[in-house]
Amino acid sequence: MTHLRKGRRKYYDFFSHIYDAFIRMHSRQDEDDTRKFLVDAAHLEDQPAPRILDLCCGTGSVVLAFESCYPESVAIGYDFSHGMLGKAQEKNVTGRVIFVEGDAALLPFADDSFDVVTCSHALYELKGETRQKALREMKRVIRPDGYVLLMEHEIPQRPVVKLLFYIRLLSMGSKDAREFVKGGAESLKQIFARVTLNHSQTGKSKLMSCQK
Ligand SMILES: C[S@@+](CC[C@H](N)C(=O)[O-])C[C@H]1O[C@@H](n2cnc3c(N)ncnc32)[C@H](O)[C@@H]1O
């Protein structure tokens, strides 16, 4: 792992202590609706025991929402931050979700081994090459007609929030992160055969549903 990535991992370890409180403040209670939107988009209703992978899972909110909808599932949360995974494990009251520590650019899973792969509000934070590798890995591990669901922030409308959003992007120092947020679905079409763009009811997130 490069020095840069080690530094980012430490940053997320530190952030893990306030992450859930920060999200609650930012989302103003509509985080449950956003997660339901994501779970519904997976189209897993006909599968009693789906295999679910949540990449860059952070404190586990998305994968835990899937697991509570599909108690028979094999649900894995994957992240490179030990701190984030520790917080996720504290929320894993049923003990059914498996949390794995590792880099999104290199997944320790077999080809075609998941019914759905999710990555929520994280892809834009990955640096260019890491993001491309992570996307190829997602494509490799999803089953042929399964969905890779990528949830990202919309550009905020309210001026102050919009300013903070751009400061955050600038602080990440990555030109292509900004282009990715603006460009969205177009860049994904270079990797996936089918890409559909939808918007959450709250207007704060967009969802790219990708198939290989
Ligand atoms: C903004 S948080 C999103 C967390 C979660 N998906 C959510 O929606 O609340 C970004 C997460 O991506 C993880 N992450 C960043 N780069 C990563 C990488 N290269 N490999 C694995 N995880 C990574 C961070 O540790 C952090 O938990």
Side-chain angles (χ1 to χ4, degrees):
M1 194 176 280
T2 62
H3 283 308
L4 183 64
R5 216 172 297 173
K6 275 189 192 146
R8 289 194 67 73
R9 207 169 54 161
K10 284 212 174 82
Y11 158 81
Y12 286 115
D13 284 345
F14 177 73
F15 196 20
S16 69
H17 297 288
I18 54 158
Y19 185 76
D20 281 351
F22 176 80
I23 294 296
R24 267 195 300 278
M25 196 176 72
H26 177 260
S27 69
R28 296 180 168 185
Q29 310 303 330
D30 49 32
E31 48 184 321
D32 288 347
D33 294 342
T34 308
R35 272 182 224 124
K36 185 175 181 318
F37 174 61
L38 185 54
V39 171
D40 290 349
H43 302 296
L44 295 172
E45 304 79 17
D46 299 334
Q47 299 198 43
R51 299 157 300 168
I52 299 157
L53 173 65
D54 183 31
L55 273 193
C56 303
C57 66
T59 59
S61 303
V62 167
V63 70
L64 288 162
F66 269 96
E67 185 268 339
S68 79
C69 266
Y70 301 99
E72 302 300 315
S73 61
V74 175
I76 299 178
Y78 186 90
D79 200 288
F80 73 172
S81 160
H82 196 71
M84 287 286 192
L85 291 179
K87 293 288 174 193
Q89 194 60 58
E90 285 171 16
K91 290 154 66 180
N92 187 16
V93 284
T94 65
R96 284 195 296 248
V97 176
I98 301 161
F99 289 104
V100 179
E101 193 172 320
D103 198 315
L106 188 64
L107 301 182
F109 307 111
D111 296 1
D112 305 339
S113 51
F114 292 96
D115 298 302
V116 66
V117 175
T118 56
C119 184
S120 154
H121 300 115
L123 207 52
Y124 80 105
E125 299 204 6
L126 303 184
K127 301 290 173 201
E129 195 195 341
T130 309
R131 185 185 319 121
Q132 292 305 313
K133 285 183 182 167
L135 286 166
R136 289 205 186 88
E137 282 290 81
M138 293 184 217
K139 183 178 177 184
R140 181 180 67 74
V141 301
I142 190 71
R143 71 167 154 82
D145 56 346
Y147 286 95
V148 171
L149 301 177
L150 307 170
M151 178 91 98
E152 291 296 335
H153 297 287
E154 299 276 18
I155 297 174
Q157 296 303 309
R158 288 190 301 149
V160 177
V161 187
K162 190 171 181 172
L163 178 67
L164 291 173
F165 180 75
Y166 276 110
I167 290 172
R168 168 110 179 89
L169 288 185
L170 274 175
S171 74
M172 285 159 28
S174 169
K175 181 169 167 275
D176 69 4
R178 295 194 293 281
E179 282 167 1
F180 179 76
V181 172
K182 284 184 189 159
E186 282 315 304
S187 60
L188 297 170
K189 289 181 183 161
Q190 290 162 16
I191 294 180
F192 294 97
R194 276 181 293 280
V195 180
T196 317
L197 176 64
N198 284 296
H199 302 272
S200 70
Q201 278 184 334
T202 63
K204 289 182 183 168
S205 296
K206 60 186 173 191
L207 179 67
M208 279 93 48
S209 303
C210 311
Q211 286 184 291
K212 64 181 175 187

